[in-house]
Amino acid sequence: MAATTLDLADLSGFRRKLTLLSSIGMFLDGFDLTVIAVALPVLKKSWTFTPFTSGVTSCSAIVGMFVGALVFGRIADRLGRKKMYLVDLIGFVVFAALAAVSQNVWELIAARFLLGLCLGADYPISSSLTAEFGAVRDRGRLVVALSLMWNVGALAAYLVGVAFLPIGPTAWRWMLLVGAVLALVTLAFRTSIPESPRYLIAQGRHDEARRVIAKVVSGSGTAVAPEDVVLPEPQVEPDRPTAAGSASWRRLFARGLAGATIFVCVFWFAHDVAYYGIQMYSPTILTGLGGSTQLAAYLGSAIIALLGVVGAAIALAFVDSWGRRPVLITAFAGETAVLVVLALVHAPALALIVVLFAMAILFSNMGPGTLDMVYCTELFPTELRAVGTGLGTAVSRLGAILGVLVFPDMVDAWGVSGALWLFVAAGLLGLVTTVLLAPETKNRSLEQTAGARRVFGGTAPAAASPGLVAFTTEEDR
């Protein structure tokens, strides 16, 4: 009889709940990272900032993300997704609140750095958990939904800035506090999410995996007892042991995974150079244009962020039908072309720079800004999925730090148009890397996509293994 697999079972209700709770975490990531760009112009009216402290304030959370993604991605592969799924959100609450009540620049920087640790942790944890419960037919859309909500969070940061601007000098505190309140509400609901069965299997905890699968399937309307759940024998390659605690950065560069690791790290790095340079400084750039007010700069930045949401929505619509590779190539090509136009236009008007920035962010979020986590969750095996995503996140933060710290100095030296060639170079790097290395992973299970690589004329798959099987009836068994 036909068996029902975890990939193909009708778990739409549970998957929607899981995706929603994970995506709210990503919403908070986008909000908390972007809100400092909104708060900083208000802060500068009350506190004294040097160019150095301004830059450090802007990127302190990004630096924290670099550390958090490296450290907590590995911990999530050792201790499990569920524990870290809760711990990192507790950090959202505590450190966002501390940032809101900070009394000087260095207290703010410290709180934002600690918040960044938790933001960096959430990338590998939420994306891994969502993908490991996802189905073949819509896994790409589920993970892209996380990135879509990141962009909604960034948009919300600008809208909150507009709403709180009339408060006056203390408006920045209320802007930062919003993130803590939303995280506290979300935390209560995340406690109901079980551990990933794929993680449990990779750790040899098969009985627990059976109970989780039975509970999830039964909760979706089809009663299944744990003893009726049949798990496959894990397929182990000599250089990829699945023993508990086997997660290692070194193994990400071993035979079979090195190409995937390099691809993910390079294209994500290239994306973040331009994306964060534009996202973090658009209010400042727009404010500096002749005739622009603070409110106009916020509204212009909100329009740019809104086009980012549109770009992520386009990815959501096409990632599982058109495929990962063509979407990513098209997006990098479009982004790079817009950045070239931006770099060639001298002394642009406010409306023109808003339109061009918005188009660049649209293409960015249509591809690399949404497929970064999709490729990470699909190209790394279960026992390395969080640590691999963590490494990709950390390397991408280096690109973000480059964009945030170097771009302002280049603007001072060469003007906005001249400095934008840095972003053009990053776009070209991402485009070339994608054309050469990006595999196609749509319509394949996670067991089949791990280690997939691009070869001449197509994609070389990793060795396939069976899906997670839950028999729904005695006859099926």
Side-chain angles (χ1 to χ4, degrees):
M1 295 291 182
T4 299
T5 70
L6 189 61
D7 274 323
L8 300 177
D10 182 13
L11 303 178
S12 54
F14 172 80
R15 286 175 177 135
R16 280 196 298 269
K17 176 183 177 181
L18 172 61
T19 304
L20 175 62
L21 292 176
S22 296
S23 63
I24 292 176
M26 296 304 296
F27 172 95
L28 292 169
D29 289 347
F31 180 89
D32 285 326
L33 275 182
T34 307
V35 75
I36 195 63
V38 183
L40 201 55
V42 180
L43 259 173
K44 288 180 176 179
K45 297 176 181 178
S46 303
W47 294 357
T48 300
F49 283 85
T50 66
F52 173 75
T53 55
S54 179
V56 173
T57 302
S58 295
C59 74
S60 55
I62 299 174
V63 175
M65 289 186 71
F66 170 80
V67 178
L70 281 178
V71 173
F72 292 107
R74 190 172 186 181
I75 290 175
D77 277 333
R78 289 177 178 272
L79 301 183
R81 286 46 165 143
K82 180 176 173 63
K83 292 186 181 71
M84 301 308 302
Y85 196 57
L86 300 177
V87 169
D88 74 319
L89 206 60
I90 293 172
F92 280 30
V93 177
V94 173
F95 300 126
L98 287 176
V101 300
S102 56
Q103 299 301 305
N104 57 61
V105 173
W106 292 106
E107 286 184 9
L108 177 60
I109 289 171
R112 293 281 299 172
F113 171 80
L114 294 172
L115 175 61
L117 293 177
C118 302
L119 297 177
D122 202 61
Y123 276 64
I125 297 165
S126 290
S127 61
S128 295
L129 193 57
T130 301
E132 287 168 4
F133 272 108
V136 169
R137 63 183 178 274
D138 61 1
R139 184 182 61 242
R141 288 195 295 273
L142 294 181
V143 179
V144 167
L146 306 188
S147 297
L148 172 63
M149 288 299 289
W150 192 105
N151 291 284
V152 174
L155 172 62
Y158 293 117
L159 298 179
V160 165
V162 171
F164 288 171
L165 194 58
I167 294 176
T170 62
W172 68 271
R173 295 190 185 276
W174 296 102
M175 295 176 192
L176 298 184
L177 191 60
V178 168
V181 175
L182 291 175
L184 184 61
V185 173
T186 306
L187 179 62
F189 292 98
R190 276 196 177 187
T191 57
S192 63
I193 298 300
E195 182 58 89
S196 161
R198 282 188 164 97
Y199 169 80
L200 294 172
I201 292 170
Q203 302 297 303
R205 295 155 60 181
H206 293 172
D207 289 341
E208 292 179 64
R210 289 187 180 91
R211 288 194 293 270
V212 168
I213 296 172
K215 181 179 180 180
V216 172
V217 174
S218 298
S220 298
T222 303
V224 176
E227 58 268 21
D228 293 327
V229 175
V230 177
L231 304 179
E233 289 294 325
Q235 193 164 35
V236 181
E237 297 176 15
D239 58 342
R240 277 173 39 189
T242 59
S246 66
S248 166
W249 295 312
R250 178 180 55 81
R251 288 181 54 218
L252 294 173
F253 294 93
R255 178 178 61 85
L257 285 179
T261 302
I262 292 170
F263 162 63
V264 165
C265 289
V266 174
F267 97 77
W268 201 349
F269 169 90
H271 158 69
D272 276 18
V273 171
Y275 183 83
Y276 280 93
I278 294 174
Q279 189 80 7
M280 299 298 288
Y281 282 108
S282 56
T284 302
I285 292 172
L286 298 181
T287 302
L289 294 175
S292 176
T293 64
Q294 186 70 69
L295 179 60
Y298 281 172
L299 291 174
S301 299
I303 291 171
I304 294 170
L306 177 60
L307 267 290
V309 175
V310 173
I314 293 172
L316 189 72
F318 290 102
V319 66
D320 283 318
S321 56
W322 194 14
R324 283 64 157 151
R325 178 177 165 83
V327 169
L328 190 57
I329 291 175
T330 301
F332 261 128
E335 177 188 4
T336 304
V338 173
L339 290 171
V340 169
V341 174
L342 266 168
L344 292 174
V345 175
H346 295 282
L350 174 64
L352 179 59
I353 199 168
V354 167
V355 168
L356 291 176
F357 271 172
M359 290 303 298
I361 293 298
L362 182 149
F363 279 114
S364 180
N365 285 336
M366 174 184 159
T370 50
L371 293 183
D372 41 21
M373 288 191 294
V374 174
Y375 266 122
C376 280
T377 56
E378 293 180 337
L379 295 184
F380 298 117
T382 299
E383 70 274 14
L384 295 175
R385 186 162 291 120
V387 72
T389 305
L391 177 64
T393 304
V395 173
S396 75
R397 297 313 97 162
L398 294 178
I401 293 167
L402 177 64
V404 171
L405 289 183
V406 175
F407 182 65
D409 292 335
M410 295 178 68
V411 170
D412 290 339
W414 302 336
V416 173
S417 296
L420 284 169
W421 287 106
L422 170 66
F423 298 163
V424 173
L428 286 172
L429 174 63
L431 178 60
V432 171
T433 301
T434 299
V435 170
L436 294 178
L437 297 179
E440 184 51 71
T441 54
K442 71 171 183 176
N443 297 328
R444 298 164 68 192
S445 72
L446 289 179
E447 286 75 26
Q448 293 172 319
T449 59
R453 62 193 185 278
R454 179 71 182 169
V455 297
F456 183 77
T459 296
S465 67
L468 304 181
V469 180
F471 288 115
T472 56
T473 66
E474 184 66 22
E475 287 77 10
D476 287 342
R477 190 164 63 131

